[in-house]
Amino acid sequence: MKKTLHLLLASACIIFIAPKLDAAIGDTLHVTTHNQVTVVTNPSAGANKYPVWAVFPDASVKYRKVILNFSYKCPPGQACGEWDYLDYVFIRRKGGVDSLSKNMEIARFITPYGNSFNSTWHAEFHLDITDYQFLLHDSVEIEYNHTGYETNVGKGWLLTLDFEFIEGTPVMETVAITNMWTGSFPYGNITNSIENYLTPTWLTMDNATNMLRMRIVQSGHGSDNTNCAEFCSKARTFLVDGIIFDIKNIWRTCGANPLYPQAGTWVYNRGGWCPGAIVDPDIYNINVSGGATHSLDVDMPSYGSSSPSANYVFGTQAIEFKSPLHANDASIEEVYSPNNIFEYSRDNAICDNAKIQLRNNGTSPLTNCVIKYGIVGQLFSSFQWSGNLLSHASETVTLPDYVLPVAGMQKFKVYLESVNGVADAYPHDDTVYTQTLIPQVFDTVIVFVYKTNNIPSQSAYVMYDHSNVVVKQVIGSSLAANSTYRDTLHLAPGCYRFTFSDSGNDGLTWWANAAQGSGYIRFENLAGSITKSFNSDFGSEVSYNLLVDPANIVSIDDNDESQNKVQLYPNPNAGTLICDIHVGKKQDLKISVYNILGRQMHTQVIPSYNNDGVVLNMKNFADGVYLVKVTSVDLNVTRKVVLKK
């Protein structure tokens, strides 16, 4: 069930009273705080704030999960913003205009280089902000802060912020939340060290606290004589009671950004962020005892610059929780593929293995679970996962077996059937549905055409089959510069994954590296017609899934006379399939059966067939979906059969 609270007027002076909503576990509620708000810079201040008083459900409504959804477009009659600026989402005041501001950063986004985007461009992003769920009740002031100094008029963003709440029992009850290191701190200034700001902090736990979560958002900006902190990688050390808890390089590779191409230097790796992307928080879970006092500290390595202009922007909270409510409690947090959302577009559409994020929400280690999955309307697969996920840990799981969306059956479902051999103590977040994208269909012969640029040694391509076996591979050292190559690939029916990589992380052509020249990659058919062309400004890699043989997923036109000459029944079938085949004259007939992976399971040739019909014995085949292909001088027909004994 879905509920929606509509946009509330963008005013910092008016408080709205929330309607009473009936809560039900698993219900999804949306509260839109900023609905297509035009966001522009304020060059005189370097920041432009867009506060809105929003009304969330009252405290009686509990949330299992909270997702913040961002949507960006070019404003009507304006161009998109040109520069990569820091944008923030804050929880400011809560309860009323006279309340003290909490000044709590809950999300950070870096705007893309949007100078090349047109009026139809849009992009969507999402971030799990469940850690702040206990604050999002009743009247709350939500502020979007757009920084930057863009002086050109007629440029900005059309912003929508949507808070998505999934009602239910929280994994853990929140006890307290404390802002820690927050602000923009200088780095490389020998007269004003960053350690003057990143000082150790002593924090005494509430008596009810059992677990402390540190949520650190850090991004590097400014560019001195060594390109710090935006373009240098420095290691951050996090310490608890003087002991190193974690060391992490504040660095992020940008060549695989789903938002591509962009007008600016989007492919350059950066200090913990990329243009046109959320700055991901680092999460640290620490077991503590109620009432205990702990020292928390963040250190950056000593660094001095002859032209200091670098800074690191921190947003950090210490969040105290009680213990999780259940021992055996797991969830499916994300479905990376198949999924049609923008953020996962680099890896979708798919026709091979699904990928999910599995999380342990219980107190006991998660050592095994049974995962069921498939396209709704088709037979489901089962996977026995095993491992050792400690409490609060998660893992990306690749699910074996084929995922084949077909027309009319494009919803994917995955769910946990059991957790540690028993029923999940909280089953309401065990099931996820996504919408799939159907991969492009190709004939069994594909011509891959690629023109190298001036640096062919950086390029390589691989074609994999469903079993991840390399069908064709070419490395750049074997290629000549500024040359065109044509590889004719003869592929059996099935699913394939094609990757074309560039070790320079700037594609085959890029405006900021004119010296590399330009190239292109595309697929053609034997007649020379282009069947798929790829953007040469792709960053680090093209990843593309495809289906070979149209019979795998194309819908059959029942009005086509040739299709009506082949009828298969009963369908679904228990093992004995009747093939009613009509031909105009006696001719040799071939019947082939393929499984859903495109593997040939059976073939038989019937000389001088004369419309007698054929009985296929499929009793030894496993349950599933099969393709029956009938060929002769007059026929080339493929029908789909579901075997269910």
Side-chain angles (χ1 to χ4, degrees), residues 348-624:
N348 287 277
I350 71 161
C351 50
D352 55 2
N353 301 321
K355 290 184 180 179
I356 67 170
Q357 184 187 47
L358 178 68
R359 178 182 289 176
N360 180 17
N361 299 315
T363 56
S364 297
L366 181 63
T367 58
N368 67 86
C369 61
V370 176
I371 306 172
K372 295 290 185 72
Y373 58 97
I375 301 298
V376 174
Q378 297 185 18
L379 296 177
F380 273 41
S381 299
S382 181
F383 177 64
Q384 176 80 41
W385 175 87
S386 60
N388 186 30
L389 280 182
L390 300 180
S391 185
H392 314 298
S394 61
E395 178 179 311
T396 298
V397 178
T398 299
L399 302 174
D401 295 335
Y402 200 67
V403 174
L404 178 61
V406 296
M409 290 191 251
Q410 295 180 278
K411 182 177 288 187
F412 177 76
K413 177 182 178 181
V414 56
Y415 65 95
L416 303 179
E417 187 176 65
S418 65
V419 173
N420 285 341
V422 298
D424 195 325
Y426 190 90
H428 305 289
D429 52 7
D430 289 353
T431 302
V432 176
Y433 292 90
T434 61
Q435 291 296 319
T436 67
L437 294 170
I438 299 176
Q440 186 175 349
V441 178
F442 292 81
D443 201 351
T444 53
V445 180
I446 300 176
V447 181
F448 177 56
V449 183
Y450 54 110
K451 178 185 177 296
T452 60
N453 60 15
N454 294 334
I455 318 174
S457 60
Q458 293 182 345
S459 301
Y461 93 85
V462 186
M463 182 75 82
Y464 302 90
D465 69 8
H466 171 69
S467 301
N468 216 35
V469 174
V470 174
V471 176
K472 178 72 175 181
Q473 182 174 21
V474 172
I475 58 176
S477 59
S478 65
L479 306 175
N482 298 306
S483 300
T484 302
Y485 295 85
R486 299 174 64 89
D487 287 340
T488 302
L489 308 177
H490 296 267
L491 305 174
C495 179
Y496 294 83
R497 178 168 55 90
F498 165 78
T499 64
F500 192 101
S501 59
D502 179 74
S503 61
N505 296 319
D506 55 3
L508 289 174
T509 183
W510 187 44
W511 70 271
N513 186 12
Q516 75 168 340
S518 62
Y520 60 79
I521 52 176
R522 65 193 186 210
F523 291 131
E524 296 180 357
N525 59 24
L526 284 175
S529 298
I530 296 175
T531 53
K532 173 64 181 179
S533 182
F534 299 91
N535 194 314
S536 296
D537 186 5
F538 57 77
S540 59
E541 183 183 82
V542 167
S543 181
Y544 185 72
N545 295 281
L546 60 143
L547 279 167
V548 170
D549 192 342
N552 281 340
I553 64 169
V554 297
S555 59
I556 302 299
D557 183 359
D558 290 331
N559 294 319
D560 183 83
E561 183 179 353
S562 65
Q563 302 296 336
N564 291 329
K565 291 180 179 179
V566 177
Q567 300 295 329
L568 307 179
Y569 56 91
N571 190 10
N573 190 273
T576 301
L577 182 67
I578 308 299
C579 305
D580 189 1
I581 305 168
H582 292 271
V583 293
K585 59 185 178 181
K586 287 186 179 182
Q587 52 194 278
D588 293 345
L589 194 73
K590 182 180 180 181
I591 302 177
S592 301
V593 181
Y594 298 87
N595 68 8
I596 205 67
L597 301 177
R599 298 190 183 97
Q600 186 170 293
M601 307 295 294
H602 170 80
T603 187
Q604 68 184 86
V605 176
I606 306 169
S608 300
Y609 174 80
N610 64 352
N611 299 318
D612 294 329
V614 179
V615 177
L616 285 183
N617 184 351
M618 302 176 66
K619 292 182 179 179
N620 292 329
F621 291 13
D623 287 359

Side-chain angles (χ1 to χ4, degrees), residues 71-323:
S71 173
Y72 293 88
K73 299 179 182 179
C74 298
Q78 298 184 28
C80 273
E82 187 174 359
W83 294 101
D84 51 336
Y85 289 135
L86 285 132
D87 282 14
Y88 309 87
V89 181
F90 284 97
I91 293 177
R92 294 298 190 188
R93 294 170 291 180
K94 180 175 169 56
V97 294
D98 294 328
S99 303
L100 293 176
S101 178
K102 293 188 176 297
N103 293 326
M104 190 162 294
E105 179 187 347
I106 62 175
R108 185 181 304 174
F109 180 80
I110 311 296
T111 57
Y113 296 102
N115 203 34
S116 61
F117 299 159
N118 59 33
S119 60
T120 64
W121 176 87
H122 62 91
E124 295 77 34
F125 307 87
H126 74 290
L127 177 67
D128 189 330
I129 58 166
T130 307
D131 286 339
Y132 309 102
Q133 56 86 17
F134 80 112
L135 295 174
L136 298 172
H137 292 280
D138 302 314
S139 299
V140 183
E141 186 182 33
I142 302 296
E143 179 188 282
Y144 189 86
N145 187 347
H146 178 48
T147 72
Y149 298 89
E150 195 167 63
T151 57
N152 296 329
V153 296
K155 292 187 177 183
W157 303 98
L158 193 66
L159 166 74
T160 297
L161 287 186
D162 172 74
F163 289 76
E164 178 181 349
F165 300 93
I166 299 175
E167 299 178 32
T169 306
V171 173
M172 303 172 290
E173 183 179 340
T174 307
V175 177
I177 184 167
T178 306
N179 268 335
M180 302 291 284
W181 308 280
T182 299
S184 179
F185 306 140
Y187 191 58
N189 190 332
I190 58 176
T191 63
N192 188 17
S193 170
I194 195 172
E195 291 304 311
N196 294 332
Y197 304 88
L198 301 177
T199 57
T201 300
W202 292 90
L203 191 65
T204 299
M205 304 297 107
D206 187 279
N207 289 332
T209 298
N210 299 109
M211 196 271 284
L212 177 67
R213 172 169 293 165
M214 294 297 302
R215 188 180 178 103
I216 303 176
V217 177
Q218 180 183 355
S219 54
H221 305 273
S223 185
D224 59 19
N225 59 310
T226 63
N227 295 320
C228 270
E230 181 171 347
F231 301 112
C232 69
S233 177
K234 299 292 184 179
R236 180 193 67 211
T237 303
F238 174 55
L239 303 95
V240 179
D241 296 331
I243 299 172
I244 295 175
F245 192 90
D246 179 73
I247 299 176
K248 178 185 178 178
N249 281 345
I250 308 306
W251 194 240
R252 185 166 172 176
T253 57
C254 297
N257 193 330
L259 207 171
Y260 80 98
Q262 298 179 37
T265 56
W266 68 276
V267 302
Y268 287 159
N269 302 332
R270 285 172 162 87
W273 60 275
C274 294
I278 292 171
V279 182
D280 295 323
D282 296 315
I283 306 294
Y284 302 116
N285 297 310
I286 309 160
N287 292 323
V288 296
S289 299
T293 299
H294 295 277
S295 170
L296 306 169
D297 191 15
V298 167
D299 286 338
M300 296 296 298
S302 177
Y303 171 72
S305 172
S306 60
S307 56
S309 62
N311 61 89
Y312 280 103
V313 181
F314 278 81
T316 313
Q317 294 95 30
I319 311 169
E320 300 177 48
F321 295 99
K322 294 182 180 179
S323 294

